[in-house]
Short mmCIF file of all heavy atoms in Angstrom, two decimals:
data_model
loop_
_atom_site.label_atom_id
_atom_site.label_comp_id
_atom_site.label_asym_id
_atom_site.label_seq_id
_atom_site.Cartn_x
_atom_site.Cartn_y
_atom_site.Cartn_z
N MET A 1449 3.76 34.84 -1.67
CA MET A 1449 4.37 34.35 -2.88
C MET A 1449 4.17 35.33 -4.08
O MET A 1449 3.13 35.96 -4.09
CB MET A 1449 3.79 32.99 -3.32
CG MET A 1449 4.81 32.23 -4.29
SD MET A 1449 3.95 30.57 -4.76
CE MET A 1449 4.87 29.59 -3.68
N GLU A 1450 5.06 35.52 -4.98
CA GLU A 1450 4.94 36.45 -6.17
C GLU A 1450 3.76 36.02 -7.05
O GLU A 1450 3.67 34.73 -7.24
CB GLU A 1450 6.23 36.51 -6.87
CG GLU A 1450 7.39 37.08 -6.10
CD GLU A 1450 7.95 38.33 -6.75
OE1 GLU A 1450 7.48 38.68 -7.81
OE2 GLU A 1450 8.98 38.82 -6.20
N PRO A 1451 2.98 36.87 -7.57
CA PRO A 1451 1.89 36.35 -8.49
C PRO A 1451 2.37 35.70 -9.60
O PRO A 1451 1.71 34.79 -10.16
CB PRO A 1451 1.29 37.84 -8.87
CG PRO A 1451 1.68 38.73 -7.87
CD PRO A 1451 3.03 38.31 -7.38
N VAL A 1452 3.54 36.01 -10.09
CA VAL A 1452 4.13 35.31 -11.25
C VAL A 1452 4.41 33.93 -10.99
O VAL A 1452 4.16 32.96 -11.77
CB VAL A 1452 5.35 36.04 -11.83
CG1 VAL A 1452 5.95 35.32 -13.03
CG2 VAL A 1452 5.14 37.54 -12.16
N LEU A 1453 5.04 33.70 -9.85
CA LEU A 1453 5.34 32.42 -9.29
C LEU A 1453 4.04 31.49 -9.06
O LEU A 1453 4.02 30.36 -9.44
CB LEU A 1453 6.24 32.38 -8.03
CG LEU A 1453 7.64 32.59 -8.18
CD1 LEU A 1453 8.24 32.90 -6.89
CD2 LEU A 1453 8.21 31.32 -8.90
N ARG A 1454 3.01 32.25 -8.53
CA ARG A 1454 1.77 31.45 -8.21
C ARG A 1454 1.13 31.07 -9.62
O ARG A 1454 0.66 29.93 -9.78
CB ARG A 1454 0.82 32.46 -7.61
CG ARG A 1454 -0.08 31.66 -6.75
CD ARG A 1454 -1.03 32.53 -5.90
NE ARG A 1454 -0.31 33.43 -5.05
CZ ARG A 1454 -0.81 34.59 -4.44
NH1 ARG A 1454 -2.12 34.83 -4.64
NH2 ARG A 1454 -0.15 35.24 -3.70
N GLU A 1455 1.14 31.95 -10.60
CA GLU A 1455 0.71 31.56 -11.90
C GLU A 1455 1.42 30.42 -12.52
O GLU A 1455 0.88 29.45 -13.07
CB GLU A 1455 0.73 32.76 -12.85
CG GLU A 1455 -0.25 32.65 -13.96
CD GLU A 1455 -0.04 33.83 -15.02
OE1 GLU A 1455 -0.14 35.01 -14.50
OE2 GLU A 1455 0.25 33.53 -16.18
N PHE A 1456 2.74 30.49 -12.36
CA PHE A 1456 3.61 29.44 -12.93
C PHE A 1456 3.26 28.05 -12.21
O PHE A 1456 3.12 27.12 -12.85
CB PHE A 1456 5.06 29.72 -12.65
CG PHE A 1456 6.03 28.63 -13.01
CD1 PHE A 1456 6.33 28.37 -14.41
CD2 PHE A 1456 6.61 27.94 -12.05
CE1 PHE A 1456 7.14 27.42 -14.76
CE2 PHE A 1456 7.55 26.85 -12.48
CZ PHE A 1456 7.77 26.62 -13.82
N ARG A 1457 2.99 28.15 -11.03
CA ARG A 1457 2.69 26.98 -10.21
C ARG A 1457 1.37 26.39 -10.57
O ARG A 1457 1.23 25.11 -10.82
CB ARG A 1457 2.65 27.29 -8.72
CG ARG A 1457 2.55 26.03 -7.83
CD ARG A 1457 2.28 26.47 -6.34
NE ARG A 1457 0.99 27.23 -6.32
CZ ARG A 1457 0.44 27.72 -5.25
NH1 ARG A 1457 1.09 27.76 -4.08
NH2 ARG A 1457 -0.72 28.37 -5.20
N ASP A 1458 0.51 27.17 -10.82
CA ASP A 1458 -0.92 26.79 -11.21
C ASP A 1458 -0.86 26.10 -12.58
O ASP A 1458 -1.48 25.15 -12.88
CB ASP A 1458 -1.87 27.94 -11.29
CG ASP A 1458 -2.32 28.26 -9.88
OD1 ASP A 1458 -1.86 27.57 -8.88
OD2 ASP A 1458 -2.86 29.42 -9.62
N ARG A 1459 -0.03 26.69 -13.48
CA ARG A 1459 0.12 26.25 -14.83
C ARG A 1459 0.73 24.85 -14.78
O ARG A 1459 0.38 23.92 -15.49
CB ARG A 1459 0.92 27.21 -15.72
CG ARG A 1459 0.43 27.28 -17.10
CD ARG A 1459 1.22 28.21 -17.93
NE ARG A 1459 1.27 29.56 -17.41
CZ ARG A 1459 2.11 30.49 -17.84
NH1 ARG A 1459 3.01 30.26 -18.70
NH2 ARG A 1459 2.11 31.70 -17.31
N LEU A 1460 1.78 24.81 -13.93
CA LEU A 1460 2.47 23.58 -13.78
C LEU A 1460 1.59 22.36 -13.41
O LEU A 1460 1.62 21.30 -13.75
CB LEU A 1460 3.68 23.67 -12.86
CG LEU A 1460 4.72 22.65 -12.87
CD1 LEU A 1460 5.57 22.67 -14.12
CD2 LEU A 1460 5.57 22.78 -11.64
N ARG A 1461 0.67 22.74 -12.33
CA ARG A 1461 -0.08 21.84 -11.73
C ARG A 1461 -1.22 21.33 -12.73
O ARG A 1461 -1.55 20.14 -12.84
CB ARG A 1461 -0.95 22.53 -10.58
CG ARG A 1461 -1.40 21.50 -9.56
CD ARG A 1461 -2.01 22.13 -8.34
NE ARG A 1461 -1.01 22.72 -7.41
CZ ARG A 1461 -1.29 23.44 -6.47
NH1 ARG A 1461 -2.51 23.71 -6.07
NH2 ARG A 1461 -0.37 23.93 -5.59
N ARG A 1462 -1.70 22.27 -13.69
CA ARG A 1462 -2.58 21.86 -14.67
C ARG A 1462 -1.95 21.01 -15.67
O ARG A 1462 -2.58 20.12 -16.31
CB ARG A 1462 -3.16 23.12 -15.31
CG ARG A 1462 -4.66 23.37 -15.08
CD ARG A 1462 -5.17 24.69 -15.55
NE ARG A 1462 -4.65 25.69 -14.69
CZ ARG A 1462 -4.56 27.08 -15.05
NH1 ARG A 1462 -4.89 27.34 -16.25
NH2 ARG A 1462 -4.14 27.89 -14.20
N ARG A 1463 -0.69 21.22 -15.89
CA ARG A 1463 0.03 20.44 -16.91
C ARG A 1463 0.35 18.99 -16.37
O ARG A 1463 0.39 18.06 -17.04
CB ARG A 1463 1.31 21.15 -17.29
CG ARG A 1463 1.77 20.74 -18.68
CD ARG A 1463 3.01 21.46 -19.07
NE ARG A 1463 2.71 22.95 -19.45
CZ ARG A 1463 3.56 23.80 -19.87
NH1 ARG A 1463 4.75 23.47 -20.06
NH2 ARG A 1463 3.21 25.07 -20.07
N LEU A 1464 0.52 18.97 -15.06
CA LEU A 1464 0.89 17.71 -14.40
C LEU A 1464 -0.40 16.84 -14.26
O LEU A 1464 -0.27 15.56 -14.11
CB LEU A 1464 1.45 17.93 -13.08
CG LEU A 1464 2.93 18.41 -13.14
CD1 LEU A 1464 3.38 18.69 -11.67
CD2 LEU A 1464 3.79 17.36 -13.73
N ALA A 1465 -1.58 17.32 -14.24
CA ALA A 1465 -2.81 16.63 -13.99
C ALA A 1465 -2.99 15.50 -15.03
O ALA A 1465 -3.27 14.33 -14.53
CB ALA A 1465 -3.93 17.59 -14.06
N PRO A 1466 -2.87 15.67 -16.30
CA PRO A 1466 -3.00 14.62 -17.22
C PRO A 1466 -1.87 13.55 -17.08
O PRO A 1466 -2.02 12.42 -17.37
CB PRO A 1466 -2.96 15.22 -18.69
CG PRO A 1466 -2.50 16.62 -18.38
CD PRO A 1466 -2.73 16.90 -16.97
N MET A 1467 -0.71 14.08 -16.70
CA MET A 1467 0.37 13.11 -16.50
C MET A 1467 0.17 12.24 -15.26
O MET A 1467 0.45 11.00 -15.36
CB MET A 1467 1.74 13.99 -16.21
CG MET A 1467 2.41 14.31 -17.39
SD MET A 1467 3.93 15.31 -17.06
CE MET A 1467 5.01 14.00 -16.43
N ARG A 1468 -0.52 12.70 -14.30
CA ARG A 1468 -0.87 11.85 -13.17
C ARG A 1468 -1.92 10.84 -13.55
O ARG A 1468 -1.81 9.67 -13.07
CB ARG A 1468 -1.43 12.83 -12.01
CG ARG A 1468 -1.14 12.17 -10.69
CD ARG A 1468 -1.79 13.04 -9.56
NE ARG A 1468 -1.07 14.37 -9.64
CZ ARG A 1468 -1.57 15.39 -8.87
NH1 ARG A 1468 -2.60 15.32 -8.16
NH2 ARG A 1468 -1.08 16.67 -8.90
N TYR A 1469 -2.78 11.25 -14.35
CA TYR A 1469 -3.81 10.37 -14.96
C TYR A 1469 -3.14 9.21 -15.74
O TYR A 1469 -3.57 8.06 -15.62
CB TYR A 1469 -4.70 11.13 -15.84
CG TYR A 1469 -5.85 10.41 -16.60
CD1 TYR A 1469 -6.84 9.68 -15.83
CD2 TYR A 1469 -5.71 10.05 -17.93
CE1 TYR A 1469 -7.85 8.91 -16.46
CE2 TYR A 1469 -6.62 9.26 -18.55
CZ TYR A 1469 -7.66 8.73 -17.84
OH TYR A 1469 -8.61 7.96 -18.54
N ARG A 1470 -2.18 9.62 -16.51
CA ARG A 1470 -1.56 8.54 -17.31
C ARG A 1470 -0.68 7.64 -16.45
O ARG A 1470 -0.65 6.46 -16.73
CB ARG A 1470 -0.46 9.26 -18.31
CG ARG A 1470 -0.82 8.98 -19.83
CD ARG A 1470 0.05 9.72 -20.62
NE ARG A 1470 -0.42 11.11 -20.78
CZ ARG A 1470 0.40 12.05 -21.33
NH1 ARG A 1470 1.58 11.75 -21.87
NH2 ARG A 1470 -0.01 13.24 -21.50
N LEU A 1471 -0.18 8.16 -15.36
CA LEU A 1471 0.58 7.28 -14.50
C LEU A 1471 -0.29 6.31 -13.70
O LEU A 1471 0.06 5.20 -13.56
CB LEU A 1471 1.32 8.21 -13.42
CG LEU A 1471 2.36 7.58 -12.53
CD1 LEU A 1471 3.58 7.26 -13.23
CD2 LEU A 1471 2.65 8.51 -11.30
N GLN A 1472 -1.57 6.80 -13.48
CA GLN A 1472 -2.48 5.99 -12.75
C GLN A 1472 -2.91 4.76 -13.68
O GLN A 1472 -3.04 3.72 -13.28
CB GLN A 1472 -3.71 6.69 -12.36
CG GLN A 1472 -3.42 7.48 -11.10
CD GLN A 1472 -4.69 8.35 -10.75
OE1 GLN A 1472 -5.55 8.64 -11.51
NE2 GLN A 1472 -4.69 8.73 -9.37
N LYS A 1473 -3.01 5.06 -15.00
CA LYS A 1473 -3.36 4.16 -16.03
C LYS A 1473 -2.17 3.12 -16.14
O LYS A 1473 -2.52 1.92 -16.26
CB LYS A 1473 -3.67 4.73 -17.34
CG LYS A 1473 -5.09 5.41 -17.37
CD LYS A 1473 -5.42 5.73 -18.81
CE LYS A 1473 -6.04 4.53 -19.61
NZ LYS A 1473 -6.49 4.89 -20.90
N LEU A 1474 -1.05 3.65 -16.04
CA LEU A 1474 0.14 2.74 -16.10
C LEU A 1474 0.25 1.82 -14.97
O LEU A 1474 0.51 0.65 -15.13
CB LEU A 1474 1.44 3.65 -16.30
CG LEU A 1474 2.74 2.92 -16.45
CD1 LEU A 1474 2.79 2.47 -17.97
CD2 LEU A 1474 3.96 3.82 -16.02
N LEU A 1475 -0.03 2.38 -13.81
CA LEU A 1475 -0.05 1.56 -12.61
C LEU A 1475 -1.12 0.53 -12.69
O LEU A 1475 -1.00 -0.64 -12.27
CB LEU A 1475 -0.19 2.36 -11.32
CG LEU A 1475 0.98 3.20 -11.00
CD1 LEU A 1475 0.63 4.19 -9.83
CD2 LEU A 1475 2.12 2.30 -10.44
N ALA A 1476 -2.30 0.83 -13.26
CA ALA A 1476 -3.33 -0.08 -13.38
C ALA A 1476 -3.02 -1.23 -14.32
O ALA A 1476 -3.39 -2.34 -14.21
CB ALA A 1476 -4.59 0.65 -13.87
N ALA A 1477 -2.21 -0.87 -15.36
CA ALA A 1477 -1.65 -1.93 -16.26
C ALA A 1477 -0.66 -2.82 -15.66
O ALA A 1477 -0.48 -3.93 -16.09
CB ALA A 1477 -1.06 -1.18 -17.59
N LEU A 1478 0.01 -2.38 -14.60
CA LEU A 1478 0.92 -3.19 -13.92
C LEU A 1478 0.43 -3.97 -12.86
O LEU A 1478 1.10 -4.98 -12.45
CB LEU A 1478 2.10 -2.22 -13.36
CG LEU A 1478 3.04 -1.53 -14.33
CD1 LEU A 1478 3.84 -0.42 -13.64
CD2 LEU A 1478 3.88 -2.52 -15.14
N THR A 1479 -0.79 -3.83 -12.41
CA THR A 1479 -1.42 -4.49 -11.27
C THR A 1479 -1.86 -5.94 -11.59
O THR A 1479 -2.29 -6.50 -10.69
CB THR A 1479 -2.45 -3.61 -10.61
OG1 THR A 1479 -3.19 -2.98 -11.49
CG2 THR A 1479 -1.84 -2.74 -9.62
N PRO A 1480 -1.89 -6.34 -12.83
CA PRO A 1480 -2.33 -7.77 -13.06
C PRO A 1480 -1.63 -8.78 -12.11
O PRO A 1480 -2.15 -9.90 -11.96
CB PRO A 1480 -2.04 -8.10 -14.53
CG PRO A 1480 -2.12 -6.79 -15.16
CD PRO A 1480 -1.80 -5.74 -14.12
N GLU A 1481 -0.46 -8.36 -11.58
CA GLU A 1481 0.21 -9.21 -10.64
C GLU A 1481 -0.63 -9.53 -9.47
O GLU A 1481 -0.56 -10.60 -8.86
CB GLU A 1481 1.52 -8.42 -10.20
CG GLU A 1481 2.65 -8.66 -11.08
CD GLU A 1481 3.89 -7.86 -10.48
OE1 GLU A 1481 4.23 -7.98 -9.45
OE2 GLU A 1481 4.54 -7.15 -11.35
N ILE A 1482 -1.41 -8.54 -9.01
CA ILE A 1482 -2.31 -8.79 -7.97
C ILE A 1482 -3.35 -9.88 -8.31
O ILE A 1482 -3.70 -10.79 -7.46
CB ILE A 1482 -3.04 -7.49 -7.53
CG1 ILE A 1482 -1.91 -6.51 -6.89
CG2 ILE A 1482 -4.09 -7.62 -6.47
CD1 ILE A 1482 -2.34 -5.12 -6.84
N ARG A 1483 -3.82 -9.83 -9.48
CA ARG A 1483 -4.83 -10.79 -9.91
C ARG A 1483 -4.12 -12.19 -9.95
O ARG A 1483 -4.86 -13.22 -9.72
CB ARG A 1483 -5.33 -10.43 -11.35
CG ARG A 1483 -6.80 -10.16 -11.30
CD ARG A 1483 -7.30 -9.71 -12.67
NE ARG A 1483 -6.83 -8.32 -12.98
CZ ARG A 1483 -6.75 -7.87 -14.23
NH1 ARG A 1483 -7.07 -8.66 -15.22
NH2 ARG A 1483 -6.44 -6.61 -14.41
N GLU A 1484 -2.84 -12.14 -10.21
CA GLU A 1484 -2.03 -13.58 -10.36
C GLU A 1484 -2.10 -14.18 -9.00
O GLU A 1484 -2.03 -15.39 -8.90
CB GLU A 1484 -0.71 -13.23 -10.84
CG GLU A 1484 -0.23 -14.27 -11.87
CD GLU A 1484 0.92 -13.84 -12.62
OE1 GLU A 1484 0.74 -13.28 -13.69
OE2 GLU A 1484 2.12 -14.12 -12.22
N ILE A 1485 -2.03 -13.39 -7.93
CA ILE A 1485 -1.94 -13.91 -6.62
C ILE A 1485 -3.18 -14.78 -6.32
O ILE A 1485 -3.20 -15.82 -5.67
CB ILE A 1485 -1.81 -12.77 -5.58
CG1 ILE A 1485 -0.44 -12.16 -5.63
CG2 ILE A 1485 -2.04 -13.24 -4.17
CD1 ILE A 1485 -0.28 -10.84 -4.98
N HIS A 1486 -4.39 -14.33 -6.88
CA HIS A 1486 -5.60 -14.99 -6.69
C HIS A 1486 -5.64 -16.30 -7.45
O HIS A 1486 -6.41 -17.22 -7.12
CB HIS A 1486 -6.79 -14.16 -7.15
CG HIS A 1486 -6.99 -13.03 -6.28
ND1 HIS A 1486 -7.50 -13.05 -4.99
CD2 HIS A 1486 -6.74 -11.64 -6.41
CE1 HIS A 1486 -7.60 -11.89 -4.41
NE2 HIS A 1486 -7.15 -11.03 -5.21
N THR A 1487 -4.76 -16.47 -8.45
CA THR A 1487 -4.72 -17.73 -9.15
C THR A 1487 -3.82 -18.75 -8.46
O THR A 1487 -3.79 -19.94 -8.80
CB THR A 1487 -4.22 -17.60 -10.59
OG1 THR A 1487 -2.94 -17.05 -10.63
CG2 THR A 1487 -5.15 -16.56 -11.39
N GLN A 1488 -3.12 -18.31 -7.42
CA GLN A 1488 -2.29 -19.21 -6.79
C GLN A 1488 -3.14 -20.22 -5.98
O GLN A 1488 -4.25 -19.91 -5.54
CB GLN A 1488 -1.47 -18.50 -5.70
CG GLN A 1488 -0.32 -17.72 -6.35
CD GLN A 1488 0.54 -17.11 -5.34
OE1 GLN A 1488 0.23 -16.70 -4.31
NE2 GLN A 1488 1.83 -16.94 -5.74
N ARG A 1489 -2.63 -21.44 -5.90
CA ARG A 1489 -3.43 -22.47 -5.23
C ARG A 1489 -2.69 -22.93 -3.99
O ARG A 1489 -1.46 -23.00 -3.92
CB ARG A 1489 -3.63 -23.67 -6.19
CG ARG A 1489 -4.80 -23.35 -7.03
CD ARG A 1489 -4.87 -24.45 -8.15
NE ARG A 1489 -4.01 -24.20 -9.23
CZ ARG A 1489 -3.82 -24.98 -10.22
NH1 ARG A 1489 -4.41 -26.20 -10.29
NH2 ARG A 1489 -2.98 -24.63 -11.21
N MET A 1490 -3.50 -23.42 -3.09
CA MET A 1490 -2.88 -23.85 -1.85
C MET A 1490 -2.99 -25.37 -1.86
O MET A 1490 -4.05 -25.90 -2.14
CB MET A 1490 -3.46 -23.30 -0.65
CG MET A 1490 -2.65 -23.41 0.66
SD MET A 1490 -3.35 -22.79 2.08
CE MET A 1490 -4.50 -23.97 2.59
N CYS A 1491 -1.88 -26.08 -1.64
CA CYS A 1491 -1.94 -27.43 -1.57
C CYS A 1491 -2.87 -27.96 -0.46
O CYS A 1491 -2.57 -27.58 0.71
CB CYS A 1491 -0.48 -28.04 -1.49
SG CYS A 1491 -0.41 -29.82 -1.45
N PRO A 1492 -3.81 -28.79 -0.69
CA PRO A 1492 -4.63 -29.31 0.30
C PRO A 1492 -3.99 -30.32 1.17
O PRO A 1492 -4.48 -30.76 2.18
CB PRO A 1492 -5.81 -29.91 -0.46
CG PRO A 1492 -5.33 -30.28 -1.78
CD PRO A 1492 -4.24 -29.32 -2.07
N PHE A 1493 -2.84 -30.82 0.73
CA PHE A 1493 -2.16 -31.88 1.48
C PHE A 1493 -1.08 -31.27 2.41
O PHE A 1493 -0.96 -31.81 3.67
CB PHE A 1493 -1.40 -32.88 0.56
CG PHE A 1493 -2.31 -33.35 -0.50
CD1 PHE A 1493 -2.37 -32.96 -1.82
CD2 PHE A 1493 -3.12 -34.40 -0.18
CE1 PHE A 1493 -3.28 -33.44 -2.77
CE2 PHE A 1493 -4.00 -34.98 -1.05
CZ PHE A 1493 -4.14 -34.49 -2.43
N CYS A 1494 -0.33 -30.30 2.03
CA CYS A 1494 0.69 -29.68 2.95
C CYS A 1494 0.40 -28.25 3.21
O CYS A 1494 1.11 -27.71 4.03
CB CYS A 1494 2.09 -29.95 2.40
SG CYS A 1494 2.43 -29.08 0.88
N GLY A 1495 -0.37 -27.65 2.49
CA GLY A 1495 -0.71 -26.27 2.75
C GLY A 1495 0.29 -25.19 2.05
O GLY A 1495 0.14 -24.03 2.29
N LEU A 1496 1.14 -25.67 1.17
CA LEU A 1496 1.97 -24.87 0.58
C LEU A 1496 1.29 -24.11 -0.62
O LEU A 1496 0.51 -24.77 -1.33
CB LEU A 1496 3.24 -25.63 -0.03
CG LEU A 1496 4.29 -24.88 -0.73
CD1 LEU A 1496 5.35 -24.43 0.17
CD2 LEU A 1496 4.95 -25.59 -1.99
N VAL A 1497 1.56 -22.86 -0.74
CA VAL A 1497 0.96 -22.12 -1.90
C VAL A 1497 1.81 -22.22 -3.08
O VAL A 1497 2.98 -21.93 -3.11
CB VAL A 1497 0.85 -20.60 -1.44
CG1 VAL A 1497 0.20 -19.79 -2.62
CG2 VAL A 1497 -0.03 -20.33 -0.18
N THR A 1498 1.13 -22.85 -4.09
CA THR A 1498 1.85 -23.07 -5.34
C THR A 1498 1.17 -22.26 -6.37
O THR A 1498 -0.02 -22.25 -6.57
CB THR A 1498 1.70 -24.58 -5.72
OG1 THR A 1498 1.96 -25.38 -4.49
CG2 THR A 1498 2.64 -24.89 -6.77
N SER A 1499 2.03 -21.54 -7.14
CA SER A 1499 1.54 -20.60 -8.16
C SER A 1499 1.45 -21.38 -9.53
O SER A 1499 2.50 -21.70 -10.11
CB SER A 1499 2.35 -19.40 -8.25
OG SER A 1499 3.66 -19.61 -8.47
N ARG A 1500 0.30 -21.51 -10.01
CA ARG A 1500 0.04 -21.93 -11.40
C ARG A 1500 0.79 -23.34 -11.69
O ARG A 1500 1.03 -23.64 -12.88
CB ARG A 1500 0.49 -20.94 -12.47
CG ARG A 1500 -0.48 -19.84 -12.40
CD ARG A 1500 -0.35 -19.04 -13.72
NE ARG A 1500 0.76 -18.11 -13.59
CZ ARG A 1500 1.19 -17.32 -14.60
NH1 ARG A 1500 0.68 -17.44 -15.80
NH2 ARG A 1500 2.28 -16.57 -14.50
N SER A 1501 1.14 -24.00 -10.72
CA SER A 1501 1.72 -25.35 -10.88
C SER A 1501 0.74 -26.41 -10.77
O SER A 1501 -0.13 -26.39 -9.90
CB SER A 1501 2.94 -25.52 -9.89
OG SER A 1501 3.62 -26.62 -10.11
N LYS A 1502 0.88 -27.43 -11.55
CA LYS A 1502 -0.07 -28.63 -11.47
C LYS A 1502 0.40 -29.47 -10.44
O LYS A 1502 -0.40 -30.36 -10.01
CB LYS A 1502 -0.13 -29.21 -12.77
CG LYS A 1502 -1.09 -28.47 -13.75
CD LYS A 1502 -1.17 -29.11 -15.09
CE LYS A 1502 -1.95 -28.31 -16.10
NZ LYS A 1502 -1.83 -28.70 -17.50
N GLN A 1503 1.61 -29.33 -9.96
CA GLN A 1503 2.11 -30.22 -8.98
C GLN A 1503 2.66 -29.47 -7.80
O GLN A 1503 3.26 -28.48 -8.01
CB GLN A 1503 3.23 -31.17 -9.65
CG GLN A 1503 3.26 -32.47 -9.00
CD GLN A 1503 4.24 -33.33 -9.87
OE1 GLN A 1503 5.08 -32.87 -10.56
NE2 GLN A 1503 4.10 -34.73 -9.76
N CYS A 1504 2.47 -29.99 -6.67
CA CYS A 1504 2.89 -29.34 -5.52
C CYS A 1504 4.36 -29.30 -5.47
O CYS A 1504 5.03 -30.44 -5.68
CB CYS A 1504 2.29 -29.89 -4.20
SG CYS A 1504 2.87 -29.10 -2.69
N LEU A 1505 5.15 -28.23 -5.06
CA LEU A 1505 6.49 -28.34 -5.07
C LEU A 1505 7.00 -28.86 -3.71
O LEU A 1505 8.16 -29.34 -3.62
CB LEU A 1505 7.00 -26.77 -5.14
CG LEU A 1505 6.66 -26.02 -6.46
CD1 LEU A 1505 6.96 -24.50 -6.20
CD2 LEU A 1505 7.43 -26.58 -7.61
N GLU A 1506 6.16 -28.94 -2.78
CA GLU A 1506 6.51 -29.45 -1.49
C GLU A 1506 6.41 -30.92 -1.37
O GLU A 1506 7.39 -31.66 -1.10
CB GLU A 1506 5.74 -28.80 -0.30
CG GLU A 1506 6.16 -29.06 0.98
CD GLU A 1506 7.57 -28.59 1.39
OE1 GLU A 1506 7.96 -27.61 0.91
OE2 GLU A 1506 8.25 -29.29 2.17
N CYS A 1507 5.14 -31.43 -1.70
CA CYS A 1507 5.00 -32.88 -1.51
C CYS A 1507 4.87 -33.58 -2.74
O CYS A 1507 4.82 -34.84 -2.79
CB CYS A 1507 3.79 -33.14 -0.65
SG CYS A 1507 2.18 -32.41 -1.34
N GLY A 1508 4.81 -32.87 -3.92
CA GLY A 1508 4.79 -33.47 -5.15
C GLY A 1508 3.46 -34.02 -5.65
O GLY A 1508 3.39 -34.76 -6.64
N LYS A 1509 2.42 -33.80 -4.86
CA LYS A 1509 1.12 -34.34 -5.30
C LYS A 1509 0.51 -33.46 -6.37
O LYS A 1509 0.71 -32.23 -6.32
CB LYS A 1509 0.21 -34.45 -4.05
CG LYS A 1509 0.78 -35.57 -3.09
CD LYS A 1509 -0.26 -35.79 -2.04
CE LYS A 1509 0.18 -36.96 -1.15
NZ LYS A 1509 -0.71 -37.27 -0.07
N THR A 1510 -0.29 -34.14 -7.16
CA THR A 1510 -0.90 -33.39 -8.24
C THR A 1510 -2.07 -32.61 -7.63
O THR A 1510 -2.99 -33.09 -6.96
CB THR A 1510 -1.41 -34.31 -9.31
OG1 THR A 1510 -0.36 -35.19 -9.78
CG2 THR A 1510 -1.92 -33.55 -10.50
N LEU A 1511 -2.11 -31.35 -8.03
CA LEU A 1511 -3.17 -30.50 -7.51
C LEU A 1511 -4.43 -30.46 -8.45
O LEU A 1511 -4.24 -30.45 -9.62
CB LEU A 1511 -2.69 -28.93 -7.32
CG LEU A 1511 -1.40 -28.75 -6.37
CD1 LEU A 1511 -1.04 -27.39 -6.45
CD2 LEU A 1511 -1.78 -29.14 -5.06
N ALA A 1512 -5.55 -30.50 -7.82
CA ALA A 1512 -6.70 -30.56 -8.63
C ALA A 1512 -7.03 -29.13 -9.17
O ALA A 1512 -6.63 -28.14 -8.50
CB ALA A 1512 -7.94 -31.04 -7.80
N GLU A 1513 -7.57 -29.09 -10.25
CA GLU A 1513 -7.97 -27.74 -10.82
C GLU A 1513 -9.08 -27.08 -10.03
O GLU A 1513 -10.18 -27.61 -9.95
CB GLU A 1513 -8.46 -27.94 -12.26
CG GLU A 1513 -7.35 -28.17 -13.33
CD GLU A 1513 -6.44 -26.96 -13.59
OE1 GLU A 1513 -6.96 -25.86 -13.42
OE2 GLU A 1513 -5.34 -27.19 -13.90
N VAL A 1514 -8.68 -26.09 -9.28
CA VAL A 1514 -9.60 -25.36 -8.53
C VAL A 1514 -9.82 -23.94 -9.05
O VAL A 1514 -8.87 -23.10 -9.20
CB VAL A 1514 -9.17 -25.30 -7.10
CG1 VAL A 1514 -10.23 -24.53 -6.20
CG2 VAL A 1514 -8.96 -26.78 -6.51
N HIS A 1515 -10.97 -23.68 -9.50
CA HIS A 1515 -11.33 -22.25 -10.02
C HIS A 1515 -12.04 -21.45 -9.01
O HIS A 1515 -13.11 -21.91 -8.53
CB HIS A 1515 -12.09 -22.32 -11.35
CG HIS A 1515 -11.39 -23.09 -12.35
ND1 HIS A 1515 -10.46 -22.46 -13.10
CD2 HIS A 1515 -11.48 -24.33 -12.92
CE1 HIS A 1515 -9.98 -23.35 -14.05
NE2 HIS A 1515 -10.63 -24.52 -13.92
N THR A 1516 -11.43 -20.56 -8.53
CA THR A 1516 -12.03 -19.69 -7.42
C THR A 1516 -12.36 -18.34 -7.96
O THR A 1516 -11.67 -17.82 -8.87
CB THR A 1516 -10.95 -19.49 -6.22
OG1 THR A 1516 -9.69 -19.23 -6.65
CG2 THR A 1516 -10.99 -20.82 -5.37
ZN1 ZN B 1479 1.79 -30.21 -1.06
#
């Protein structure tokens, strides 16, 4: 590879490094969805996973507040 091209590639890589860091931070900001999965509750009566609902969508029973 030509030295000029190699230098250009190295410079590009150095310039992309902070961008990759920013992208990782952005992805970290988008991941609260994963935490939301943990807040989902499983109905003890029918086993349906209900997200943040006080009432089961399947059997209609009121779900107890369970903090895990
Ligand atoms: Zn249920």
